[in-house]
Amino acid sequence: MKVTEIETRKSTKHQNKDGCLQKNTAEQKEYGEALIEEQMAEKNINTTNNRSKKGLLEEILEPENLNIAYQRVKRNKGAGGVDGMNVDELYTYLKHHGEELRQSILEGKYKPKPVRRVEIPKENGKKRMLGIPTAVDRVIQQGIAQVIGPIYEKKFVETSYGFRPGKSAHQALETSKMLMNSGYVWAVELDLEKFFDTMNQSKMVQLLGEEIKDGRVISLIHKYLRAGAVAGKRYEYTREGAPQGGPLSPLLANIMLHELDKELQKRQHWFVRYADDIVILCKSKASAEQTMEHIIPFIEKKLFLTINREKSKVSHVTKIKFLGYGFYKDSKGYQMRVHKKSMVKMKEKVRRLTDRKRSHKQQRERLKTYIRGWVNYFKLANMGKALKAIDEWMRRRIRMNIWKEWKKVKTRYNNLRKLGLNHDESMKLAGSRKGYWRLSKSPNLNIAISNKRLEQAGYLFFSSYYKTVKV
């Protein structure tokens, strides 16, 4: 939803008694032809007349759709699944087994392979469980998502922003900021505990059945949900949840949480949702508390999801963390900043990227990639001063590593002389027994290994890149 559209709807008739309101670039067609042989392509050409006679499953299995899916999986790359096949091997496999694979799915005989369970550390010390499907299953899942996604896209609400074409986290944040500046400054933060791991599969199948009239498609999706997982050498049954890591999972999450969206709209609440990150905005603390009290039973009893009551809370918007951002108020109204937890996480990442295990070239390239990605995501925030402080700290770490690398007094002396220090300054600094971190702040070392020289060496820094992308 565009900001102007939200403001148009913001009339008093949409307000409840608690003061809480309810709220493309076309992809170039590059076909790998891994699934189309000459005879098969000829046999599967569809006219307008015979297309209408086919079901949704046939539409999913059309060579053109599967080839688009293949190209997307190939571009996304990713690790291999339990069968060990990587994305580079897909073309050959699908070229020889594409028709056999399609026939097996049409006859209902296809059995998806279990996902490969991978643990990803979270910033709170816990671990997120990812399920990596095989490369072949990723193609099929992508093909399903491409066909059923548009069916649901027409029904999804405007303030749902996650994993949808033409929508982004930045739009979700801008909408949140606009609502705050319209007086909705109390937030209900809902934390869905292990959402992907605990999603109720029976409820998911029920919701799919309300829109998808081809039972074979629902059956195929259900097979993916129940395919199981392999952790190490141990097989695990999956009788609940949707593996987080496959192309279908984001769409299934939106289908499930669309029920929550509809309920919030029905109750005339303003809300913003990005996947399972949800914030409901109200005008008063009392109305926010009442909203939280009334919506939790719906989530737990109707959607069979679990609310983490320790993390779910009512807060003033200046105290919340949403999509890595925080909010503050100045003379111009509510503004965005990088949340302090996101800053801590970024600093820890930079610490790892500037350790001595990597060469200077590796450090430079990995830092460039990380800094560009991080700044492009957080560019909506006002963070110029904070980034200057981070850059000073990062440059100090780089100088410390260079100083450690020089090791010998003679090497240090020679390098300092080459960098412009005189004999006495070079001798004093090279022979110093002070610690590496302390010396990295030395004025003479900062003159020798200057900011300009680091930039000329190819290092990119947060504040300089931020100036080029700040909106």
Side-chain angles (χ1 to χ4, degrees):
M1 180 186 295
K2 295 178 182 175
V3 170
T4 52
E5 291 178 274
I6 292 179
E7 289 183 335
T8 302
R9 292 172 53 198
K10 201 189 76 178
S11 62
T12 54
K13 69 178 181 179
H14 291 296
Q15 248 179 5
N16 64 22
K17 62 181 179 181
D18 300 316
C20 227
L21 285 186
Q22 174 242 344
K23 87 62 257 172
N24 235 1
T25 305
E27 183 173 359
Q28 192 176 11
K29 292 187 176 182
E30 297 176 342
Y31 303 132
E33 298 182 355
L35 300 173
I36 307 178
E37 294 179 10
E38 198 169 328
Q39 281 185 328
M40 290 157 45
E42 195 173 321
K43 182 172 65 176
N44 284 285
I45 292 173
N46 292 314
T47 63
T48 304
N49 291 332
N50 64 25
R51 182 183 291 271
S52 62
K53 298 177 183 178
K54 292 188 175 182
L56 203 61
L57 185 61
E58 283 79 9
E59 189 176 343
I60 290 167
L61 295 175
E62 281 184 358
E64 183 179 6
N65 183 57
L66 289 179
N67 274 305
I68 294 171
Y70 161 75
Q71 287 292 336
R72 289 183 178 172
V73 169
K74 185 180 177 183
R75 277 197 300 274
N76 292 336
K77 297 181 180 178
V82 294
D83 62 355
M85 182 189 298
N86 60 46
V87 173
D88 293 333
E89 298 172 281
L90 260 178
Y91 180 88
T92 302
Y93 178 86
L94 295 174
K95 188 74 175 177
H96 292 92
H97 301 282
E99 177 60 21
E100 177 188 335
L101 180 65
R102 273 201 301 271
Q103 199 59 39
S104 174
I105 295 171
L106 282 169
E107 293 173 359
K109 296 177 181 179
Y110 181 73
K111 292 184 179 180
K113 288 184 170 57
V115 297
R116 181 168 64 85
R117 187 78 79 192
V118 178
E119 293 181 348
I120 304 296
K122 296 173 69 175
E123 56 187 274
N124 59 7
K126 296 182 180 179
K127 294 181 178 179
R128 176 181 286 110
M129 307 300 291
L130 293 186
I132 311 299
T134 64
V136 172
D137 282 327
R138 290 211 291 276
V139 172
I140 300 168
Q141 285 192 33
Q142 180 65 41
I144 296 171
Q146 287 168 184
V147 171
I148 71 170
I151 296 173
Y152 285 95
E153 187 59 33
K154 298 172 186 175
K155 301 178 180 296
F156 289 156
V157 304
E158 286 293 330
T159 51
S160 163
Y161 291 93
F163 308 114
R164 295 181 60 192
K167 289 185 174 287
S168 68
H170 284 177
Q171 291 173 339
L173 289 158
E174 291 285 12
T175 299
S176 302
K177 176 183 167 183
M178 188 278 296
L179 288 169
M180 292 172 195
N181 284 312
S182 299
Y184 299 90
V185 296
W186 285 94
V188 180
E189 295 180 89
L190 296 175
D191 185 273
L192 301 178
E193 191 167 11
K194 297 181 179 179
F195 171 71
F196 281 95
D197 295 334
T198 60
M199 185 191 298
N200 187 283
Q201 293 182 2
S202 297
K203 181 66 177 180
M204 187 75 255
V205 170
Q206 176 202 325
L207 294 175
L208 289 169
E210 292 174 6
E211 295 295 336
I212 297 173
K213 303 311 175 186
D214 191 331
R216 299 169 300 168
V217 175
I218 298 174
S219 176
L220 180 59
I221 294 172
H222 198 196
K223 285 179 181 179
Y224 276 112
L225 293 175
R226 298 175 70 90
V230 172
K233 295 184 178 179
R234 187 183 65 186
Y235 174 81
E236 299 174 357
Y237 290 97
T238 50
R239 294 297 177 257
E240 62 177 9
Q244 190 177 359
L248 257 182
S249 298
L251 176 58
L252 296 181
N254 273 337
I255 292 170
M256 176 67 77
L257 292 175
H258 177 58
E259 299 302 300
L260 174 59
D261 297 344
K262 290 192 297 184
E263 185 66 19
L264 290 170
Q265 278 193 329
K266 180 181 174 183
R267 299 183 188 197
Q268 296 187 322
H269 294 315
W270 282 110
F271 66 96
V272 180
R273 181 174 68 79
Y274 189 93
D276 58 335
D277 283 322
I278 309 157
V279 61
I280 307 169
L281 294 165
C282 301
K283 280 197 168 180
S284 70
K285 184 177 181 180
S287 63
E289 288 173 344
Q290 187 178 58
T291 298
M292 183 173 179
E293 180 184 350
H294 291 165
I295 201 63
I296 285 178
F298 173 83
I299 294 170
E300 294 186 331
K301 294 178 182 178
K302 299 293 184 180
L303 301 183
F304 309 107
L305 298 170
T306 303
I307 292 287
N308 185 327
R309 281 174 164 75
E310 289 183 7
K311 293 184 178 180
S312 298
K313 57 186 182 294
V314 168
S315 307
H316 193 270
V317 292
T318 54
K319 305 294 183 183
I320 71 171
K321 177 189 177 190
F322 184 52
L323 301 178
Y325 279 73
F327 302 87
Y328 70 96
K329 189 176 183 181
D330 64 11
S331 59
K332 297 179 180 178
Y334 285 93
Q335 310 293 339
M336 285 181 258
R337 62 180 175 85
V338 182
H339 194 275
K340 59 183 179 181
K341 289 184 178 179
S342 300
M343 275 290 191
V344 170
K345 186 178 178 182
M346 175 265 276
K347 196 170 179 179
E348 186 54 41
K349 178 69 174 179
V350 171
R351 191 188 304 276
R352 291 196 301 271
L353 291 174
T354 54
D355 62 25
R356 290 189 64 209
K357 295 177 182 177
R358 297 176 177 87
S359 68
H360 292 305
K361 183 178 179 180
Q362 286 178 321
Q363 277 188 19
R364 289 194 300 267
E365 294 309 310
R366 294 190 183 194
L367 278 171
K368 276 182 186 177
T369 301
Y370 179 70
I371 289 170
R372 285 171 179 155
W374 191 92
V375 172
N376 279 321
Y377 180 75
F378 285 105
K379 66 183 178 182
L380 300 182
N382 296 323
M383 55 180 178
K385 290 182 180 178
L387 292 186
K388 285 181 180 178
I390 289 292
D391 284 344
E392 288 176 10
W393 169 79
M394 187 170 80
R395 281 191 287 262
R396 190 175 173 186
R397 281 190 60 80
I398 294 168
R399 291 187 181 104
M400 179 184 70
N401 288 339
I402 293 171
W403 190 251
K404 282 181 179 180
E405 192 177 84
W406 289 349
K407 292 182 180 178
K408 295 181 180 180
V409 173
K410 184 177 180 181
T411 304
R412 290 172 178 173
Y413 172 81
N414 290 335
N415 287 336
L416 290 170
R417 292 287 285 148
K418 289 175 184 176
L419 292 171
L421 291 189
N422 63 35
H423 169 75
D424 290 340
E425 291 169 340
S426 299
M427 282 295 293
K428 185 178 179 180
L429 189 56
S432 176
R433 294 188 178 184
K434 292 178 181 178
Y436 296 120
W437 182 245
R438 187 174 176 183
L439 279 173
S440 66
K441 201 176 182 180
S442 161
N444 282 331
L445 189 61
N446 277 255
I447 291 170
I449 309 174
S450 65
N451 296 354
K452 185 176 181 180
R453 281 194 169 115
L454 289 175
E455 289 175 358
Q456 288 173 341
Y459 282 99
L460 179 67
F461 296 99
F462 285 93
S463 55
S464 56
Y465 187 68
Y466 175 63
K467 289 176 184 177
T468 68
V469 301
K470 175 63 178 170
V471 292

